[in-house]
Amino acid sequence: MPKIIIDITNADYSDFLAECNSQNMTPEEKIREIITCYVILRRNRRKLPQKVLDPFLSHER
């Protein structure tokens, strides 16, 4: 399985862990959910009005 390494602050990671815990998810499960949602948004980009998607896709690189 490939590894992805990202740099985030301790505060951001703590917030992420708190979000995971509040949803009874492991960090791996939460990341998988985030990626799945992103992929679904990208696949449906042509089907939905752009103004609906912009808030979700505004952090593209």
Side-chain angles (χ1 to χ4, degrees), residues 10 15 18 41 51:
N10 287 338
D15 289 345
L41 283 172
K51 65 182 178 182

Side-chain angles (χ1 to χ4, degrees), residues 13 16-17 20-21 25-32:
Y13 188 66
F16 177 72
L17 287 179
C20 294
N21 288 336
M25 299 175 86
T26 65
E28 292 84 1
E29 291 168 332
K30 187 63 180 170
I31 290 170
R32 188 173 293 114

